[in-house]
Amino acid sequence: MSPPELRGAVQQAGGESLENMAFVEALPFTSAGQPGENEKWLWASIGIRQPASGNFVMGMPKPLASMLVSIIYGVDSGSEDSMERDTVAEVANIMAGRLLSSLLKESVSFQLSPPTVEYGTAKDKGINPGEGLYFQVDDIVFAVWFDNLDSFSHS
């Protein structure tokens, strides 16, 4: 699968995941919206275990996580960030599952590790912001990163 096809699969998975979960539109966005060097985001990491190894990481600023909590659960997350963390983990899990489903043949199963969520900077996570695929919801940007996904293409 070529990089543009892979990018399209990621964009479709991201858009469909948020549209189905929270009825919001996630539009592709240029990397101009990448997190600043000291900007802290919530980071959901998911290990891909089968049929090959890889990693899927989604970074999301807290204001977007709070907005999703409000839309999905009808509550204000306030100072309670466990709902934000759980929501970010679930969005990442659904997005990774949709992405792999689109990359693999229907007869091929895949296995994901449970998502882990941390709060920190891209540097804390060892993420290169320039390598992310970015989305915009309203005026808030979030992004995904992955490695080794090209080996999954229609396995």
Side-chain angles (χ1 to χ4, degrees):
M1 178 173 278
S2 71
E5 290 173 321
L6 185 56
R7 185 175 299 112
V10 172
Q11 289 170 340
Q12 183 174 351
E16 288 176 355
S17 297
L18 282 176
E19 187 175 324
N20 290 332
M21 281 185 76
F23 308 105
V24 297
E25 189 173 27
L27 300 172
F29 193 72
T30 67
S31 60
Q34 60 189 309
E37 187 175 319
N38 296 313
E39 187 177 353
K40 291 186 174 183
W41 282 15
L42 288 162
W43 301 91
S45 301
I46 299 173
I48 303 166
R49 303 292 177 238
Q50 286 182 0
S53 294
N55 291 294
F56 179 93
V57 177
M58 183 183 73
M60 182 179 288
K62 285 182 74 87
L64 181 54
S66 295
M67 182 179 95
L68 293 176
V69 167
S70 178
I71 292 169
I72 294 168
Y73 303 107
V75 297
D76 180 9
S77 64
S79 62
E80 177 58 49
D81 78 348
S82 65
M83 288 184 79
E84 291 169 353
R85 288 174 180 266
D86 290 346
T87 300
V88 169
E90 188 60 22
V91 170
N93 198 40
I94 289 171
M95 191 180 297
R98 282 184 180 274
L99 176 60
L100 289 176
S101 292
S102 73
L103 294 177
L104 299 170
K105 292 179 183 174
E106 197 172 303
S107 61
V108 176
S109 63
F110 58 88
Q111 183 180 17
L112 303 175
S113 70
T116 59
V117 179
E118 301 172 66
Y119 184 63
T121 65
K123 186 177 179 180
D124 294 339
K125 283 292 294 174
I127 296 283
N128 177 349
E131 295 175 354
L133 292 176
Y134 290 81
F135 297 86
Q136 181 174 356
V137 174
D138 292 338
D139 61 347
I140 306 172
V141 175
F142 75 100
V144 299
W145 290 261
F146 49 82
D147 62 49
N148 205 32
L149 282 186
D150 54 343
S151 68
F152 290 82
S153 301
H154 305 290
S155 293

